[in-house]
Amino acid sequence: MNHNLFQVLLTSIKTKITPLVTKVRRWTDWNYLRTQGINKVRQFFASIFDVRPKHKKDYYEVFGWLVSKKLAFAIVVVIGVLSLYYLASVKDSFLPDRKGADGGIKTYSYDSVMLRFAKDKVRIKGKSGYLAYEGNVAKGYVTGTGTLYNPEGTVVYQGSFDKNKYEGDGVAYYDTGVMKYNGKFSENLYEGEGKQYRENGSLLYAGMFARGMKEGEGTLYDQGSNEIYKGNFSKDGIVYSDLLGKTAKEVSDCYSGSMKLYRGESRYAVVLADIEAMYVGATESNSLYDDVKVDNVYVLQPYFRAGQSNLTTIAELKGLFGDPIYEGNSEVTMEEAVAINRLCSEKDVLFGPVDWKKTDEYDEYSIIDSYDKSYVVYLYGFEKDGLVYTFVCSDRDDVFAFYYITKGEGA
């Protein structure tokens, strides 16, 4: 009988404890807790986004419009979540760069809203996280002095900025880190006095710039940084017409590059190889420097510089100059023969070299005894601003091989 009583008691205890144990097990089971949590969150957001009003008290009146209170609350929640996400994404913008030796310089992402309120010296990271800029900022702009880097960590520009643009004194660099330009800038372009360098580090040009191009007085240098030409420039090119009317001595004062002289009867043709030009003049004596004056300047290039464009066809020239003042076939002249043969020494132009007989007095001085006058070219002449430009072609409506400049009749 006692045994039966014990069994009854044990069964009764199990009956009471089993539900409690089951609950404990359930509330300590991760899958159950996760399911319950997700359901609670789902119910919460369902209640938030159940924006259908059920009573007139469920509305706000805004400027005569009725807006659901639940809808307004849902919008506030969404905006709050998005704001927290954004602040978390730019949290590094508030922290100083503790890795640098000069700790205390704050580092910002390039799109950080906090950058708009920064001032003085900062660091700015590019889109991929590299250091893009270190220097001064003001009112959300890169302003003052600083250094700009490319993704490889090479300096692109170092100097003055104004509202995210190069402005004032600065130094620009090639991607290799070699200095490209040192001088004045305006709106990211070379402006004013400066020096331009080749990628091998040699000086290319020193003088005036405008809108990123050589403009005004300047000096050209060869690959060894030796001066070769001093004169006026326009739209990045030499103003070759400035040589017209100069004496041979005056030309030698502004040009110090390599020269090759050709004499034919009473005329001289002098090739200025380092600036792709040639000048022509007449003299009655045997001395180049006695009284010869430049009456033609040849530009040994197959294009004509017009603004920032290089014109290469007669059609383009007609668009610039209008109708030619003359055109037609012409027997080649002595100086045209020199120009053709000079160009053909590197690459055939027109109908190839002109046959001639010459006597080489020195390495840089030749006398032309005769040349093939049956060599025929086609000429187009245009006049503008008191100058006549003659373009030498192989045929009508063709591209030209070179051109030369003379003064017009009224000039």
Side-chain angles (χ1 to χ4, degrees), residues 66-179:
L66 294 178
V67 179
S68 168
K69 291 182 178 180
K70 288 188 176 182
L71 176 61
F73 180 69
I75 292 172
V76 170
V77 169
V78 170
I79 292 175
V81 170
L82 293 176
S83 298
L84 289 173
Y85 174 79
Y86 177 77
L87 290 174
S89 67
V90 299
K91 65 181 184 301
D92 290 340
S93 300
F94 299 92
L95 300 176
D97 183 1
R98 301 186 184 279
K99 295 181 180 180
D102 53 347
I105 300 177
K106 289 187 177 181
T107 301
Y108 297 87
S109 172
Y110 76 101
D111 57 353
S112 170
V113 68
M114 298 308 299
L115 186 57
R116 300 178 184 178
F117 306 99
K119 62 179 181 178
D120 299 328
K121 191 173 183 179
V122 301
R123 294 188 181 101
I124 301 175
K125 290 183 178 180
K127 191 172 183 179
S128 61
Y130 71 96
L131 177 61
Y133 173 78
E134 182 173 345
N136 292 305
V137 296
K139 298 181 179 179
Y141 294 102
V142 171
T143 297
T145 58
T147 304
L148 188 68
Y149 301 89
N150 65 16
E152 288 70 41
T154 304
V155 176
V156 174
Y157 172 83
Q158 191 171 38
S160 297
F161 292 82
D162 184 48
K163 293 186 176 180
N164 297 341
K165 294 181 180 180
Y166 307 162
E167 195 74 37
D169 294 320
V171 181
Y173 296 86
Y174 290 102
D175 290 339
T176 57
V178 175
M179 185 163 57

Side-chain angles (χ1 to χ4, degrees), residues 82-286:
L82 293 176
S83 298
L84 289 173
Y85 174 79
Y86 177 77
L87 290 174
S89 67
V90 299
K91 65 181 184 301
D92 290 340
S93 300
F94 299 92
L95 300 176
D97 183 1
R98 301 186 184 279
K99 295 181 180 180
D102 53 347
I105 300 177
K106 289 187 177 181
T107 301
Y108 297 87
S109 172
Y110 76 101
D111 57 353
S112 170
V113 68
M114 298 308 299
L115 186 57
R116 300 178 184 178
F117 306 99
K119 62 179 181 178
D120 299 328
K121 191 173 183 179
V122 301
R123 294 188 181 101
I124 301 175
K125 290 183 178 180
K127 191 172 183 179
S128 61
Y130 71 96
L131 177 61
Y133 173 78
E134 182 173 345
N136 292 305
V137 296
K139 298 181 179 179
Y141 294 102
V142 171
T143 297
T145 58
T147 304
L148 188 68
Y149 301 89
N150 65 16
E152 288 70 41
T154 304
V155 176
V156 174
Y157 172 83
Q158 191 171 38
S160 297
F161 292 82
D162 184 48
K163 293 186 176 180
N164 297 341
K165 294 181 180 180
Y166 307 162
E167 195 74 37
D169 294 320
V171 181
Y173 296 86
Y174 290 102
D175 290 339
T176 57
V178 175
M179 185 163 57
K180 183 177 184 180
Y181 173 84
N182 185 354
K184 301 286 186 180
F185 286 83
S186 179
E187 296 186 344
N188 291 337
L189 300 174
Y190 311 156
E191 187 76 28
E193 190 170 2
K195 292 182 179 180
Q196 193 174 12
Y197 297 83
R198 299 179 179 86
E199 285 197 71
N200 65 6
S202 65
L203 180 61
L204 170 65
Y205 171 83
M208 303 304 295
F209 290 84
R211 303 300 298 166
M213 295 179 288
K214 304 177 189 70
E215 189 77 31
E217 293 184 0
T219 303
L220 279 179
Y221 297 83
D222 64 14
Q223 293 283 347
S225 299
N226 301 305
E227 180 181 317
I228 56 175
Y229 180 76
K230 182 183 294 184
N232 288 316
F233 293 77
S234 179
K235 308 297 183 184
D236 232 19
I238 295 172
V239 182
Y240 291 103
S241 59
D242 280 355
L243 297 176
L244 290 172
K246 290 184 181 295
T247 65
K249 176 64 170 64
E250 289 172 329
V251 173
S252 67
D253 288 340
C254 62
Y255 177 80
S256 52
S258 62
M259 301 172 66
K260 175 73 175 181
L261 284 65
Y262 296 88
R263 179 180 171 85
E265 297 180 358
S266 62
R267 291 182 67 77
Y268 277 99
V270 183
V271 176
L272 312 176
D274 290 329
I275 60 171
E276 299 181 292
M278 181 179 81
Y279 73 83
V280 178
T283 179
E284 297 297 329
S285 69
N286 291 324

